[in-house]
């Protein structure tokens, strides 16, 4: 029913920036949170950043001060501004939108940071 489409991934040099976006199709009754996760090949998926309905945000320690999450619930869209990228940020980035009834995941967008 609901489809999430990530965009903005690509290849960037260390120290560069990228902005990811995730747009949800259809209508949402209520969005409780929007977040970004990432997974490097052969490794576990990990939380990068999340914004919840109350407006608070949480970030992984590894990205604090470099990444900024923002959302537009009316547009059912979440963004991740990534600055000062490091090779260790290389991963497939997934967005997740949580409603009261269900969590929805995107299929991921690849971010590759060259050294």
């Amino acid at each position: 029913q609901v489809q999430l489409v990530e965009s903005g991934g690509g290849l960037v040099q260390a120290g560069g920036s990228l902005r990811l976006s995730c747009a949800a199709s259809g209508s949402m009754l209520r969005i409780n949170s929007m977040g970004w996760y990432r997974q490097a090949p052969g490794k576990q998926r990990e939380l990068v950043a999340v914004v919840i309905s109350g407006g608070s945000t949480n970030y992984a320690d590894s990205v604090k001060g470099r990444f900024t999450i923002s959302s537009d619930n009316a547009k059912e869209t979440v963004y991740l501004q990534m600055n000062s990228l490091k090779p260790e940020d290389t991963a497939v980035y997934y967005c997740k939108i949580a409603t009261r009834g269900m969590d929805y995941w995107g299929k991921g967008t690849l971010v590759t940071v060259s050294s």
Side-chain angles (χ1 to χ4, degrees):
Q1 181 208 21
V2 176
Q3 178 178 311
L4 306 183
V5 180
E6 300 106 330
S7 63
L11 176 64
V12 65
Q13 294 181 354
S17 298
L18 286 173
R19 185 173 186 253
L20 307 183
S21 64
C22 175
S25 65
S27 298
M28 295 285 190
L29 295 177
R30 172 83 178 196
I31 296 175
N32 290 340
S33 67
M34 299 180 175
W36 288 94
Y37 295 72
R38 67 186 181 188
Q39 186 171 24
K43 296 187 177 181
Q44 294 180 318
R45 188 174 300 185
E46 63 179 355
L47 174 69
V48 177
V50 62
V51 57
I52 62 177
S53 61
S56 63
T57 57
N58 290 315
Y59 295 90
D61 288 341
S62 60
V63 307
K64 287 181 179 177
R66 300 188 298 119
F67 291 9
T68 303
I69 188 171
S70 61
S71 64
D72 185 337
N73 286 13
K75 295 183 178 180
E76 301 176 339
T77 303
V78 60
Y79 306 91
L80 185 68
Q81 178 66 46
M82 305 185 294
N83 298 326
S84 302
L85 283 162
K86 305 174 181 179
E88 61 208 69
D89 295 317
T90 295
V92 176
Y93 284 71
Y94 300 88
C95 67
K96 185 184 80 173
I97 297 178
T99 69
R100 287 188 175 183
M102 190 172 178
D103 295 344
Y104 300 92
W105 289 87
K107 293 186 177 181
T109 184
L110 177 63
V111 172
T112 303
V113 184
S114 62
S115 60

